[in-house]
Amino acid sequence: MTSALQVLIVGGTHGNEFSGIQLLQRWQQQPLRFDNLMVQTLFANPKANQANRRFLDDDLNREFTPERLCDFNLVNYEALRAKSINQQFGPKGASQTDLVIDLHNTTANMGPTLILLQDCPWERQLAAYVKAQMPEAVILMELEKSYQQWGYLCTIGKRGVMVEVGPQPQSVLRHDILDQMDQMTQLILEFASLHCRQELPQLSHEVEVFTSVENITLPLNDEGKPLAMVHRRVEGSDFTELAPGEPIFQYFDGSVGYFEGERTLYPTFVNEAAYYNTFAAFSLADKLKLEVPAV
Amino acid sequence: MTSALQVLIVGGTHGNEFSGIQLLQRWQQQPLRFDNLMVQTLFANPKANQANRRFLDDDLNREFTPERLCDFNLVNYEALRAKSINQQFGPKGASQTDLVIDLHNTTANMGPTLILLQDCPWERQLAAYVKAQMPEAVILMELEKSYQQWGYLCTIGKRGVMVEVGPQPQSVLRHDILDQMDQMTQLILEFASLHCRQELPQLSHEVEVFTSVENITLPLNDEGKPLAMVHRRVEGSDFTELAPGEPIFQYFDGSVGYFEGERTLYPTFVNEAAYYNTFAAFSLADKLKLEVPAV
């Protein structure tokens, strides 16, 4: 008999992203049951939620780098909470948890996005499975760092993924967004259960994924203040083509800034409210077809 | 010669509504000039903006009731700021300022909305003028209280109006929303200038306005926690018809709540993030055609 996979579903890593928190409540009342999965849930930052903020002192979803987890001089609230979560469900790199699914909202028009941090057969098959069941789903791979080097909470698991659904303003619960997050999360669990039991159905031969390329910051003046906002051409255009020469910035002096890339890329996280303090405008991703290993 | 009207344009009454704050910066560099208007600007709550919050202690845009302005036991930050603003640009009821225009954002899909707090010939003519120049504009009259009884900042002026533009998440600056706020504000100034000089053009005989009727709160359990969220039928449907019997609440137990009104009304402020702590779901307005007094 195959032993059960330990799965952790996390909501409220950011206190003002309400969908995951609401789903945890639902699943505590109506537990998720999938063959061969032991599913636990974690409300990661209830104190930030009480304060209706993303975090109290520091972004919890950046605390889980190996360096920060080992640095006992970091004593802000989220640094301590990270160490506690890592102790309870990790430890990172030698985890008792097979899979962590962390639930997030974005103010950007990204639809239901599955964020993967590794490009291995398991991830490609998961991507193909989710896309087949939920065609509106978007797969975004963040591969700029190794899985272990990311500071994301989900990396305390042997495998970790994020479900990122928007557009939803902070501190709002949208019905449509909640349903999308529910559906995507259950598909991931279904996949993990089928994969564990070696009962996956036939999958497509290839799957479309976006891979993150770079972050685009607003142009700043000498004092570090923004000189421009995101141009309306790019607003709400997550995962659609952006060609070299197209407008990306509307300067406050009336002039326009253009995309100086050498090839067509795809904006993501356009105008994400949580990044206002970093002056992030959007990120750019490439679109690829990846081969899906046969089941 | 007609004496100049004293006009005050206010931004940042709520610290995380960025459009008005940005427009103030633009207009400080490129001052607004309209015949017969003396235009000043006010950044109402820069400390809340620094904290990237709507307010520090209390909602500044509810502080301007006659009672609160006179209550010197109210010593929270916004209560003090309100008294200072009232002293500088009011005082309410005997104001040195002829017109206050207060600029706001909403996370609701309300488009460019002009909120009026009185239904007098001046307001009806303003509504007709703005609608003629900007057909996508929506006029919302809040008449449940007398002008003086509202706690809104703009009521410190002899006349006060609010420009409310969305959808825009808190802490985000959208190009399209900024342009709509800019256009509507300049149309109000243009109207005030033309009205003052008795040079208004011919206006339409009637104008469509929405008048607010009631606030709809989420259903709560005995502990005061929400039992439901706004149903997807109503999400994003500001200023569109809602008929009796249509779904308005999706309960977390899976059941649906229906609109029990006796006639078709129009939701406004659907899922406004700033009202999360009051459990407001949306407001309802009626739609009317009002006669516009001849120029």
Side-chain angles (χ1 to χ4, degrees):
Chain A
M1 185 191 147
T2 321
S3 66
L5 283 186
Q6 299 295 322
V7 180
L8 178 67
I9 305 181
V10 185
T13 298
H14 295 134
N16 55 11
E17 298 177 6
F18 285 2
S19 304
I21 298 167
Q22 189 61 48
L23 286 176
L24 291 194
Q25 290 183 25
R26 176 184 301 180
W27 294 329
Q28 278 153 11
Q29 285 169 13
Q30 306 156 18
L32 294 164
R33 298 193 198 288
F34 290 85
D35 288 346
N36 286 72
L37 304 187
M38 283 284 298
V39 181
Q40 290 184 276
T41 61
L42 170 69
F43 187 0
N45 202 341
K47 279 185 82 88
N49 178 246
Q50 275 167 12
N52 190 34
R53 287 161 59 183
R54 183 175 174 89
F55 53 77
L56 297 185
D57 295 328
D58 217 341
D59 192 331
L60 179 59
N61 207 29
R62 304 293 182 272
E63 288 293 338
F64 293 83
T65 62
E67 296 74 23
R68 294 184 75 86
L69 288 173
C70 293
D71 184 344
F72 292 96
N73 292 317
L74 291 174
V75 294
N76 72 58
Y77 180 75
E78 278 80 11
L80 298 177
R81 179 70 177 138
K83 289 176 179 70
S84 164
I85 291 171
N86 188 48
Q87 203 178 338
Q88 189 180 0
F89 295 101
K92 182 163 177 161
S95 188
Q96 63 191 284
T97 305
D98 296 290
L99 172 61
V100 177
I101 307 173
D102 191 13
L103 307 181
H104 288 266
N105 292 119
T106 172
T107 65
N109 185 26
M110 289 172 64
T113 297
L114 172 57
I115 300 181
L116 303 175
L117 304 173
Q118 302 183 87
D119 177 16
C120 300
W122 188 89
E123 279 76 11
R124 290 190 184 196
Q125 290 181 337
L126 170 62
Y129 186 82
V130 169
K131 285 285 279 186
Q133 311 287 327
M134 191 179 184
E136 68 273 33
V138 180
I139 313 297
L140 177 61
M141 287 188 167
E142 297 192 5
L143 306 173
E144 301 97 311
K145 301 182 186 179
S146 75
Y147 179 70
Q148 295 296 333
Q149 285 303 316
W150 287 110
Y152 299 133
L153 189 157
C154 69
T155 60
I156 64 168
K158 287 178 194 156
R159 291 197 169 98
V161 303
M162 286 179 277
V163 175
E164 179 81 76
V165 193
Q168 180 169 280
Q170 297 169 345
S171 314
V172 164
L173 197 59
R174 281 186 66 105
H175 186 187
D176 52 356
I177 300 291
L178 193 78
D179 283 359
Q180 288 177 331
M181 183 179 279
D182 186 9
Q183 185 187 356
M184 183 174 271
T185 307
Q186 300 224 29
L187 285 173
I188 297 166
L189 294 169
E190 201 172 271
F191 171 85
S193 171
L194 291 167
H195 184 276
C196 174
R197 292 180 283 134
Q198 303 190 308
E199 291 180 12
L200 276 178
Q202 189 65 42
L203 299 170
S204 59
H205 296 295
E206 53 179 27
V207 63
E208 179 188 283
V209 306
F210 292 84
T211 56
S212 50
V213 172
E214 63 176 321
N215 300 319
I216 303 293
T217 303
L218 294 172
L220 305 176
N221 66 15
D222 293 343
E223 293 164 351
K225 295 262 173 70
L227 291 164
M229 62 188 154
V230 172
H231 193 278
R232 64 169 77 223
R233 162 65 187 82
V234 183
E235 276 174 353
S237 299
D238 302 77
F239 299 119
T240 65
E241 290 191 357
L242 180 70
E246 291 200 81
I248 57 171
F249 294 131
Q250 176 65 49
Y251 282 82
F252 300 130
D253 70 5
S255 62
V256 173
Y258 299 92
F259 178 42
E260 294 178 351
E262 292 179 352
R263 62 197 167 104
T264 293
L265 289 172
Y266 300 81
T268 65
F269 288 102
V270 177
N271 263 340
E272 164 54 51
Y275 304 159
Y276 83 100
N277 57 341
T278 66
F279 307 116
F282 51 88
S283 297
L284 285 169
D286 213 343
K287 188 162 82 171
L288 308 173
K289 294 267 188 188
L290 294 181
E291 215 174 301
V292 179
V295 173
Chain B
M1 185 190 149
T2 321
S3 66
L5 283 187
Q6 299 295 322
V7 179
L8 178 67
I9 305 181
V10 184
T13 298
H14 295 134
N16 55 11
E17 299 178 6
F18 286 0
S19 304
I21 299 167
Q22 188 62 45
L23 286 176
L24 292 194
Q25 289 182 26
R26 176 185 298 180
W27 295 330
Q28 277 152 12
Q29 285 167 12
Q30 306 156 17
L32 292 164
R33 298 194 198 287
F34 289 85
D35 288 346
N36 285 72
L37 303 188
M38 284 284 297
V39 180
Q40 289 184 277
T41 61
L42 170 69
F43 187 178
N45 202 342
K47 279 185 84 87
N49 177 246
Q50 275 167 12
N52 190 35
R53 288 162 58 183
R54 183 176 174 90
F55 52 78
L56 298 186
D57 296 328
D58 217 341
D59 191 332
L60 180 59
N61 207 31
R62 304 292 183 272
E63 289 292 338
F64 292 84
T65 61
E67 295 73 25
R68 294 183 75 86
L69 287 173
C70 291
D71 184 344
F72 292 96
N73 292 318
L74 291 174
V75 294
N76 73 58
Y77 180 75
E78 277 80 10
L80 299 177
R81 179 68 177 138
K83 290 176 179 69
S84 163
I85 290 171
N86 187 47
Q87 204 178 340
Q88 190 180 0
F89 294 102
K92 182 164 177 159
S95 188
Q96 65 192 284
T97 305
D98 295 290
L99 173 62
V100 176
I101 306 173
D102 191 13
L103 307 181
H104 288 265
N105 292 120
T106 172
T107 64
N109 185 27
M110 289 172 64
T113 298
L114 172 57
I115 300 181
L116 304 175
L117 304 173
Q118 302 182 86
D119 178 16
C120 299
W122 187 90
E123 279 77 12
R124 291 191 184 197
Q125 290 180 338
L126 169 63
Y129 186 82
V130 169
K131 285 286 279 186
Q133 310 287 327
M134 190 179 186
E136 69 273 33
V138 179
I139 313 298
L140 177 61
M141 286 187 168
E142 297 192 4
L143 306 173
E144 301 98 312
K145 300 182 187 180
S146 76
Y147 179 70
Q148 294 296 332
Q149 284 303 316
W150 286 110
Y152 298 134
L153 189 158
C154 68
T155 60
I156 63 167
K158 287 177 195 158
R159 292 197 169 98
V161 302
M162 286 179 277
V163 175
E164 180 82 75
V165 193
Q168 180 170 279
Q170 298 169 345
S171 315
V172 163
L173 197 59
R174 282 187 66 105
H175 186 186
D176 51 357
I177 300 291
L178 193 78
D179 283 359
Q180 288 178 329
M181 184 180 279
D182 186 8
Q183 185 186 355
M184 183 174 272
T185 307
Q186 299 224 31
L187 285 173
I188 297 165
L189 295 168
E190 203 172 270
F191 170 85
S193 171
L194 291 167
H195 183 276
C196 173
R197 292 181 283 133
Q198 303 190 308
E199 290 180 12
L200 277 178
Q202 190 65 42
L203 299 171
S204 60
H205 295 297
E206 52 178 28
V207 63
E208 179 188 282
V209 306
F210 293 85
T211 55
S212 49
V213 171
E214 61 177 322
N215 299 319
I216 303 293
T217 303
L218 294 172
L220 305 176
N221 67 14
D222 293 344
E223 293 164 352
K225 296 262 172 67
L227 291 164
M229 61 187 155
V230 173
H231 192 278
R232 66 168 76 224
R233 162 63 188 82
V234 184
E235 275 174 353
S237 299
D238 302 77
F239 299 119
T240 65
E241 289 192 357
L242 181 70
E246 291 200 80
I248 58 172
F249 294 130
Q250 176 64 50
Y251 283 81
F252 300 130
D253 69 6
S255 62
V256 174
Y258 299 92
F259 176 42
E260 295 178 351
E262 292 179 352
R263 62 199 166 103
T264 293
L265 289 171
Y266 299 80
T268 65
F269 288 102
V270 178
N271 263 339
E272 164 55 49
Y275 303 160
Y276 84 100
N277 57 342
T278 68
F279 307 115
F282 51 88
S283 297
L284 286 170
D286 212 344
K287 188 162 83 171
L288 308 173
K289 295 266 188 189
L290 294 181
E291 215 173 300
V292 179
V295 172

